[in-house]
Amino acid sequence: MRYDAAIIGAGADGLTAAATLATAGLKVVVLERSARAGGRLSTLEFHPGHFASPFTDTVTEVPPAIARALNLKLRAAPALPAPLRADRHGALARAFSEAVETRPSGALARWLAAPAPSWPGEALATQQLAAWPELRESASMGRALDLELAGSALALLSLPRAEALSGGLGALGEDFVRAAEAAGAEIRLGQEAVEVVIAEARAAGVALADGGRVMAGAVISTLDLKQSLMSLFPRSALPARMLEEARNWRMAGASARLLLALKRPLRRETPLLLAADDQARAAFRRGVLPMTPSLRLDPVSRRDASLAPPGAATATVTLSGIPHRLFDGGWTQEKRTALAARALLRIEKALPGTVATITGVRVVTPPDMEALLGATAGDLDGGNLAPDQMLSLRPGPRTALPGFYLGGRSTQAGALGTGAAGFAAAAALMAEGAR
Amino acid sequence: MSERAAAIVIGAGIGGLVASAYLARGGVHTLLLEAREQPREPAEALIALDARVISELRLLSRGLVFTHRDLPLAVQGEISFLLGRDLHAASATLSKFSDADALTWPRYRRTLMAEARKLRRWWWTMPEEERPDLGWSAGARHAFQRLCLMGADAYLGARFETPALLAALLWDASAGGFSVNEPGSALALVWRAAQEMEGRQAATTVARPGSLVMALTKAQTMAQFRPKARVTQIVTRAGGVTGVLLADGSEIETDHVISSLLRARTLRLAGFPETEARIGEAQILLRLRSGFHASSAARHILVSRPDAHIDAHEAARAGRIAANLPMEWVMLAPDLIAVTARPVPAPLKTEGRARVAAQAVMALSRALPGVAEALTGVEVHLRPGRASLSDLLAPPVSRITTPIKGLLLAGESAEPLPAISGRAARVAARLVLSH
């Protein structure tokens, strides 16, 4: 059986690509390594009766057109200042239009090409996040940014943050699955792609870990750039420049999470933000656990009662600037406990009495994110949001290998919206088919 | 009735001396005002002294003596080694630590020089001329955009693996007050290479102490030198210069003022409130007793780890002096050592100056035992500056001109990155002469 497209990864991007292609009448299969679809859009019962999303509470907004097409149920995200909103929309539109654009080919065409107009949002590449006091907390959450350095303002493009109406991000994931299935896409769980099959200098299918093969006219990988190019191909299969780009692509997860089951609701209704001290960034660079980590305590069950049993509460703590690799070895149980203890100590100081109400804690570290999501170094952004890795300098959906597309967070649209990269990859694939 | 001069040059540093030499040569009645008794001698190795200034002002026949040309780079980190101009010899040295680095070195140097040659058009192009990148291919423009937005740590980190080598090479990227992980710092690295190329045959040279000032003083004998004349105000009327006010209360009328002071200081004298940079570099001059026999013909870089640059930048921004301040030292004469340490907070108070000097002496004692005992005098100067990417890409004339008609800049801050060059002074003098 031969498919028109095989999609690697059943996260928001993979499912959006599947829904888009299947709606257009293509025969689509989605291959997912784990036993459930949704990727980071998941909700976990981490303690009896207590539910939370393990990786993040919110995701970058799904572009409204995609949310409508897939019939997603989303809580309205707080509005961005108008210029930022325009930048974001402009950059997304640019990413989509470049995905379907015919490229000039050949040296002469490149030479004659007029200078490309700059991308909307490019001005942020020389601005500081510190200049946006009202937005910097949410833009820097779960990251390791120096707010005072030029270019840190690019993190603003990952705003606004969206969440599910009810049931945590897992419910949003189910919406995506439903949309893909309703369109006619096939989702195969527990099937790990290990290699892209190349035939006649074109991507022609996917080899699976169990020895099976899925043949397809085109392949979309929603894995990050490093995984896509360095783990799905034998070394000699890709042009050296592509491999070099993947090797030099910088990824560093910096986010850790605590999921807290509480006997009774917190006294606060809004998130509590505790900033890091000035040693925290140096600790991150050195691979040391910060003594006073930057954290955001979010009483999630205040907004979504389905996340906790009646009378009890669920809260999440998102820690920023947590190194993926520790200088003195792995993330042992002791270090996980130490991290949780330091975070809880800070919370107890700010909200006395909180710790006594905790009935259950789950710690999620950057290596956990890597193991569970497959994100290199636990990086949820698909690559550092540095100026030389954003906008036009992020890879587009097309690659040098015909029939092979990138549709994950590492791509241009991936940094700008949830599901957007999958949509861009599907659009690029269809544009090629149309030619 | 007050005094009148056709042109006034403020500050008898190298920039001031070069400007007044050109003005006097052009037959303009020029007054060179200096707050001290003597012109100030540069206390550093010369990386960017303009070859045209040397030949046009006939400095070599007027007594300028280079004691060393083409100083190799001495890396003094965890491991120590010397890198000279000979690419093969440098490769052989590096192969002791890393084969990959040894292979990369010649290619890196050639790429850096190729990029530097491209930048020279950014040095010369006048605002009314066409964009310097006109005629570049789309690919070249894309590569240049990436270079501009890249941090030097990523630029070099993609190429080299030996930490000591990385740490030393990053030194140049922190010139001008960049943090080595912010956009613009990779470009700073290339600008430094471009400035070095201006020395034509000699990348980094050392002049015999006093000989440059002596040669320049001879070159500007036709200009009137007035020591102990501190300028307290640049008098303007209707947006144009009309004269300067001295500390003794006297006023000198003129239509043209060339200032070799820093941009911010100059504009403040003219009544323009301009904020001064909060960080800078410390130049420490160590005078030794004459019996101290040591000689070293190298540009020594003392940086413990690549991270030390970022640590020091964070500390300086917070108003602190880092514990492991990156430094460079050059022996100007057997009894004179110039140390540059950066970044440090600005302004640097007496206590801060003492701490920086103490760190320099301690660091140097490891390389040159006995330095502390041989010390007869220490001077610490602060060169404030915090450049941004847009400064590096601004047309050169915008660094030399000011919002005030007739007021031009000729000092180190009129160069793309602060350096003793004479180039800006030459252009400023020509602008005055063309009136």
Side-chain angles (χ1 to χ4, degrees), chain A residues 144-282:
Chain A
L145 288 174
D146 185 337
L147 309 187
E148 284 182 46
L149 285 192
S152 51
L154 280 169
L156 293 167
L157 293 178
S158 71
L159 298 177
R161 311 284 299 178
E163 60 185 337
L165 268 182
S166 152
L169 286 179
L172 183 57
E174 283 160 26
D175 285 353
F176 273 98
V177 172
R178 257 194 304 277
E181 283 177 341
E186 179 185 340
I187 301 172
R188 292 203 207 163
L189 300 176
Q191 304 232 324
E192 184 179 359
V194 290
E195 195 172 316
V196 171
V197 179
I198 300 177
E200 291 167 7
R202 238 194 109 79
V206 178
L208 301 173
D210 62 11
R213 275 184 169 209
V214 174
M215 300 312 285
V219 176
I220 295 177
S221 166
T222 65
L223 310 183
D224 62 57
L225 187 67
K226 277 185 187 290
Q227 302 261 355
S228 295
L229 299 189
M230 293 167 82
S231 76
L232 292 177
F233 293 93
R235 269 184 78 92
S236 57
L238 293 179
R241 283 191 59 171
M242 252 169 99
L243 280 177
E244 200 176 310
E245 186 171 358
R247 212 174 19 248
N248 292 335
W249 190 250
R250 303 189 305 285
M251 299 188 72
S255 168
R257 301 251 299 165
L258 302 184
L259 313 180
L260 305 178
L262 306 168
K263 266 192 286 202
R264 56 173 179 272
L266 284 176
R267 271 169 299 162
R268 296 177 66 93
E269 288 186 24
T270 51
L272 168 74
L273 300 164
L274 298 174
D277 61 9
D278 62 347
Q279 305 295 319
R281 271 200 308 275

Side-chain angles (χ1 to χ4, degrees), chain A residues 121-140:
Chain A
E122 222 163 59
L124 295 171
T126 53
Q127 293 175 21
Q128 308 172 338
L129 190 48
W132 304 78
E134 71 283 15
L135 294 172
R136 65 180 176 210
E137 310 299 349
S138 39
S140 61

Side-chain angles (χ1 to χ4, degrees), chain A residues 111 146 281 285-286 393, chain B residues 135 146 305 311 314 317:
Chain A
W111 183 259
D146 185 337
R281 271 200 308 275
R285 286 198 296 278
R286 283 173 181 64
L393 299 173
Chain B
R146 170 160 283 179
R305 295 168 308 111
D311 291 348
E314 286 181 355
R317 274 188 277 144

Side-chain angles (χ1 to χ4, degrees), chain A residues 342-357:
Chain A
R342 287 176 193 178
L344 292 178
L345 200 66
R346 290 203 78 185
I347 292 171
E348 182 66 18
K349 269 188 200 152
L351 294 175
T354 305
V355 170
T357 67

Side-chain angles (χ1 to χ4, degrees), chain B residues 68-73 83-86 196 200-206 297-298:
Chain B
H68 295 289
R69 282 173 187 269
D70 219 357
L71 288 192
L73 188 75
L83 295 175
R85 176 189 286 263
D86 183 335
E196 279 182 26
R200 302 273 160 83
Q201 294 309 307
T204 304
T205 55
V206 171

Side-chain angles (χ1 to χ4, degrees), chain A residues 95 98 119 391-397 409-416:
Chain A
E98 292 210 350
W119 277 56
L391 300 173
S392 66
L393 299 173
R394 232 168 158 85
R409 293 286 292 196
S410 296
T411 63
Q412 291 171 341
L416 302 168

